[in-house]
Amino acid sequence: MTTPGNIGRYEIISEIGHGAMGVVYLAHDPRIDRQVAIKTIHALHVLPDLEAEEIRQRFTREAQAAGRLQHPGIVTIFDVGEHDGTWFIAMEYIEGETLERYTRKDKLLPVSKVIGLVVQACEALDYAHQQRIVHRDIKPANLMLLKNGRLKITDFGLAKNPTTNLTQEGILIGTPNYMSPEQVMGRTLDGRSDLFSLAAVLYELLTGERPFPGDTVTTIIYRILNEQPPAPMVSNKEIPEYVAQVLVRALAKDPDRRYQTGTALAAALAAALQGEGEELLAEGVGVTRPMRVVARPVPAAAPSVKPEMAPARTVRLGPAPAAARTVAAPKPATRTHPLRVGFMLLGALALVLLVPAAGTLDDRWGRSDSAGAQPFYRTAGILAAGAGGGALPVTPGGSDAIAITWQTSPPGGKIYIDDVETPNGVMHVPKKETATHTIVAENDCFIEKVSWRAGQDADGAIHSIPLKTPKIVAAPVTTQPAGARVLLDGKDTGKVTPADIPVPACGTHAMSLRLEGYKDLETKLEKPGGPVSLTLAKVPVGFVKISAPYPVSIFENGKELGRSGAQIKLSGGAHKLVLKNEELFVERTINVTVQADKVLAPDAGLPGVGTLTVLASPSNCTISLNGHDLGPPPINDFRVAAGAYTIKAVYVPTGETKETSVTITAGGGTRVPFKFSP
């Protein structure tokens, strides 16, 4: 494709970017005498006239809405139009690089730099949201870092005023890895959706890993709806805990539990970077959340399931009628809606997502509830017209079918065949079928999933599935104050409160909470089934002040607490302190008991200081005191703490060694001579 000489009134200088749906050019605007970037959108001419015209009108209205945004952190849109069948947007031309480069583990920016850039993005988004404009596609590639260190958000031309209705229900626009839960569910969006996406970008910039990774769209969306990302400190130990707490809230599934504005998120990040946690507790962060069962097993297309085990075509929202015992793939749509076509042409992602009405999981698997409601389907499915592959429907028994029986071990559990509960565990498949089916076995405490390929068993075969894998529930744990590290059954979960803690559904489990300055709290989870909210008790604090005839450093458990003469804050109770002065060869251990709000001045019992003189003849020797090298003699009036020592001299030419023991007295001087035969 040749570079045009002009697009509208804009004189094309060069091509600076190329995508599947269009090209970006550097151009000159002769009317204003400035450089601009021209983004073109091709292929509208392939649509029927009425559909193309509808897309043009809506595209123009959206570009005009985004063009109202005038902020130093947003790339300005100057113009929108059509030239020879090609639609284009003229926008501010900037030189820089996208943040995509800094999402790789070997290119991560310092934490403080990342926070600074995201705070800039928060400010720009807050401005756009006040204008009732939602970006809907915040991702690293749309965040541009300029040479002067400023950040600009690009591609607001695809933004949407939430009062307009550009997308029909079920059509998604955006990049899957950074979508908010409400976006993937096709719900009405507001600025909080952009802030969720920005938090996902922040997580990736800090860790080099996406918070909701996956090889398929199905896996990504499942994780967005149902899973919490790993604690970011697992990937980057430089991340402060308060920053991690901000991420937990910013990535909340429920928009009401997130920061409500860009200003609030920016303030929390700034406070977290300074180690101030008070900002994090504003706006109801301690509200408890309902329990939910986390991903076990994972969706059919998730990484832990082999490709040949994952049905690609069959998408189900529940079992078929009991009499038919048949699960059929939905029929593909016969006509794509023009709005969906339009936004696909704009380079956005358009998907129809079949998900349950609620974003949480429970321990049902394809079962209806007592009220007769439609069964809950654990796996989010993607309806893609024309997708191929996958298992054939299970058919009723007949002369052309074989029967395979599935049982649980121990007996009494439930069997689900291709997501349909089968009370007797018997499945009927055509004799010639070779497709793969998914078999799930469960009881109250355990669940297993296996794949079975038709054609490998004879009629009447019986399979037993041992139930060994515990069901996992997510127990929402909150503490006052927040930030406590959570241990389960003696093992660190890597999470800090507030957090959803994965807990086996059955049995009694010990939960421990640790927070510096507060007493350790132990509790039992006998029947994990609801939120856990606990209050930590402050550890009483007192002080120790040690006087010494010479400076000593004070240590506890290998950590230096301070020096003699200063008040050292310690928790109430017993402590074992080590006092050291390496120059004087002093090391003494003392036990103290600290009382709340009191200053303890213990007698350190430190020895006095004497002097040591060491001579050697010949002097070509090395001298050591208790194994510490003092150098060559003569050593005159070397100050050392009173006590017993071993002095060793080594004659360098021959390696001859002599050793003696001495006792240094406080205020006294000790003279030690060595004589060697040359």
Side-chain angles (χ1 to χ4, degrees):
M1 180 178 179
T2 58
T3 301
N6 67 286
I7 295 179
R9 74 170 189 264
Y10 304 100
E11 301 165 356
I12 303 303
I13 299 173
S14 63
E15 178 181 322
I16 57 177
H18 195 95
M21 297 300 168
V23 181
V24 181
Y25 298 100
L26 173 62
H28 176 254
D29 183 353
R31 184 176 300 173
I32 310 294
D33 190 23
R34 65 182 172 191
Q35 288 188 334
V36 297
I38 303 292
K39 175 176 283 191
T40 62
I41 309 295
H42 296 312
L44 285 182
H45 63 277
V46 304
L47 296 176
D49 291 343
L50 290 178
E51 294 180 7
E53 181 59 25
E54 185 177 12
I55 295 300
R56 289 189 187 97
Q57 292 178 6
R58 293 177 182 273
F59 173 57
T60 301
R61 286 201 296 270
E62 293 298 357
Q64 289 173 344
R68 297 198 305 268
L69 301 178
Q70 302 291 322
H71 189 276
I74 298 174
V75 172
T76 305
I77 293 177
F78 299 135
D79 193 10
V80 59
E82 184 181 18
H83 178 80
D84 293 339
T86 297
W87 276 79
F88 66 89
I89 299 177
M91 61 186 69
E92 175 186 9
Y93 172 68
I94 56 176
E95 293 183 347
E97 55 188 357
T98 72
L99 293 189
E100 236 178 354
R101 176 183 179 187
Y102 300 107
T103 59
R104 292 170 18 203
K105 284 185 175 292
D106 60 340
K107 294 290 185 180
L108 296 183
L109 296 170
V111 172
S112 58
K113 175 71 171 178
V114 171
I115 298 298
L117 294 174
V118 172
V119 165
Q120 291 186 50
C122 288
E123 296 168 352
L125 286 174
D126 191 75
Y127 166 82
H129 298 160
Q130 290 180 34
Q131 311 304 311
R132 300 187 58 76
I133 299 296
V134 181
H135 190 287
R136 297 184 303 172
D137 197 17
I138 294 296
K139 57 185 178 182
N142 283 338
L143 301 176
M144 185 76 73
L145 178 59
L146 309 188
K147 294 180 179 179
N148 63 2
R150 290 292 305 174
L151 184 88
K152 278 185 178 283
I153 303 177
T154 66
D155 272 359
F156 256 101
L158 299 181
K160 178 176 184 288
N161 185 318
T163 61
T164 65
N165 187 26
L166 278 176
T167 57
Q168 68 186 74
E169 186 175 358
I171 302 296
L172 304 182
I173 294 179
T175 303
N177 293 92
Y178 309 97
M179 284 183 179
S180 66
E182 60 268 31
Q183 188 173 9
V184 301
M185 296 177 74
R187 295 178 176 173
T188 301
L189 304 183
D190 56 28
R192 296 173 298 179
S193 178
D194 282 348
L195 298 180
F196 181 99
S197 300
L198 182 61
V201 172
L202 171 60
Y203 185 103
E204 188 175 10
L205 290 172
L206 291 172
T207 65
E209 297 176 356
R210 288 174 174 174
F212 307 105
D215 296 327
T216 66
V217 174
T218 306
T219 303
I220 295 168
I221 291 177
Y222 180 88
R223 287 175 170 161
I224 290 173
L225 291 174
N226 302 301
E227 295 185 3
Q228 300 293 339
M233 293 89 75
V234 174
S235 300
N236 183 354
K237 298 185 184 301
E238 300 300 319
I239 299 173
E241 284 195 1
Y242 279 141
V243 173
Q245 292 177 41
V246 172
L247 276 171
V248 168
R249 181 174 174 188
L251 291 172
K253 308 298 184 189
D254 182 356
D256 290 337
R257 291 189 52 76
R258 299 178 204 147
Y259 298 96
Q260 301 298 290
T261 65
T263 298
L265 177 55
L269 286 170
L273 194 60
Q274 297 299 320
E276 300 168 2
E278 290 77 9
E279 290 288 338
L280 313 182
L281 302 177
E283 300 182 18
V285 77
V287 178
T288 58
R289 289 159 285 174
M291 171 169 293
R292 57 184 177 80
V293 175
V294 295
R296 186 181 297 278
V298 294
S304 61
V305 181
K306 296 182 180 179
E308 64 267 23
M309 296 166 56
R313 179 183 52 165
T314 308
V315 180
R316 311 176 183 85
L317 290 178
R325 193 62 70 193
T326 301
V327 180
K331 295 180 181 179
T334 57
R335 179 177 180 271
T336 304
H337 193 282
L339 298 183
R340 184 179 181 187
V341 173
F343 280 105
M344 290 174 66
L345 293 174
L346 294 177
L349 176 65
L351 300 171
V352 176
L353 178 65
L354 301 180
V355 296
T360 59
L361 296 177
D362 57 22
D363 62 355
R364 292 174 291 166
W365 191 288
R367 285 177 284 170
S368 60
D369 57 27
S370 58
Q374 284 296 315
F376 185 92
Y377 185 70
R378 293 174 67 106
T379 307
I382 298 297
L383 173 61
L392 298 176
V394 179
T395 66
S399 59
D400 63 340
I402 64 172
I404 307 297
T405 300
W406 297 89
Q407 302 173 342
T408 64
S409 177
K414 296 185 180 296
I415 295 291
Y416 304 89
I417 299 174
D418 292 336
D419 309 314
V420 179
E421 183 178 356
T422 308
N424 58 8
V426 178
M427 67 184 297
H428 298 275
V429 293
K431 292 179 179 178
K432 296 182 179 181
E433 183 185 333
T434 59
T436 298
H437 296 270
T438 300
I439 317 298
V440 174
E442 70 163 353
N443 60 17
D444 290 340
C445 300
F446 301 93
I447 189 166
E448 304 289 345
K449 181 168 74 171
V450 299
S451 289
W452 176 83
R453 187 178 297 278
Q456 63 186 16
D457 287 316
D459 186 28
I462 299 176
H463 294 278
S464 180
I465 302 178
L467 293 172
K468 298 180 180 179
T469 304
K471 283 186 177 179
I472 302 297
V473 298
V477 178
T478 58
T479 59
Q480 180 62 38
R485 184 165 296 278
V486 183
L487 291 80
L488 186 70
D489 294 331
K491 296 182 179 179
D492 193 341
T493 64
K495 295 178 179 289
V496 296
T497 58
D500 289 338
I501 307 301
V503 182
C506 295
T508 299
H509 303 278
M511 179 179 291
S512 304
L513 297 147
R514 306 281 188 268
L515 182 62
E516 186 175 355
Y518 292 81
K519 293 181 179 179
D520 293 348
L521 182 60
E522 311 289 334
T523 187
K524 293 287 186 183
L525 298 179
E526 296 183 355
K527 292 182 179 179
V532 178
S533 182
L534 301 167
T535 299
L536 303 178
K538 273 191 173 183
V539 173
V541 174
F543 300 89
V544 170
K545 184 176 182 180
I546 296 177
S547 299
Y550 40 80
V552 293
S553 297
I554 303 167
F555 295 82
E556 184 177 34
N557 297 325
K559 178 181 179 181
E560 184 172 357
L561 305 179
R563 295 175 67 85
S564 55
Q567 283 193 176
I568 297 174
K569 183 167 66 173
L570 290 172
S571 60
H575 296 267
K576 180 182 289 186
L577 305 180
V578 178
L579 315 180
K580 292 183 180 181
N581 183 315
E582 294 181 352
E583 294 181 354
L584 298 177
F585 292 85
V586 171
E587 181 170 333
R588 181 174 177 80
T589 300
I590 63 172
N591 295 307
V592 298
T593 300
V594 178
Q595 298 181 33
D597 301 322
K598 292 186 177 181
V599 179
L600 180 66
D603 180 6
L606 295 171
V609 177
T611 61
L612 173 68
T613 298
V614 181
L615 304 173
S617 178
S619 61
N620 191 8
C621 298
T622 60
I623 307 297
S624 63
L625 178 68
N626 283 2
H628 297 277
D629 184 24
L630 299 184
I635 296 171
N636 296 311
D637 296 328
F638 180 78
R639 294 180 75 244
V640 63
Y645 296 92
T646 298
I647 303 173
K648 182 165 66 175
V650 178
Y651 183 49
V652 174
T654 64
E656 183 181 357
T657 299
K658 292 188 176 183
E659 190 174 281
T660 186
S661 296
V662 299
T663 298
I664 308 295
T665 58
T670 301
R671 184 174 180 274
V672 178
F674 290 100
K675 185 173 180 62
F676 294 94
S677 300

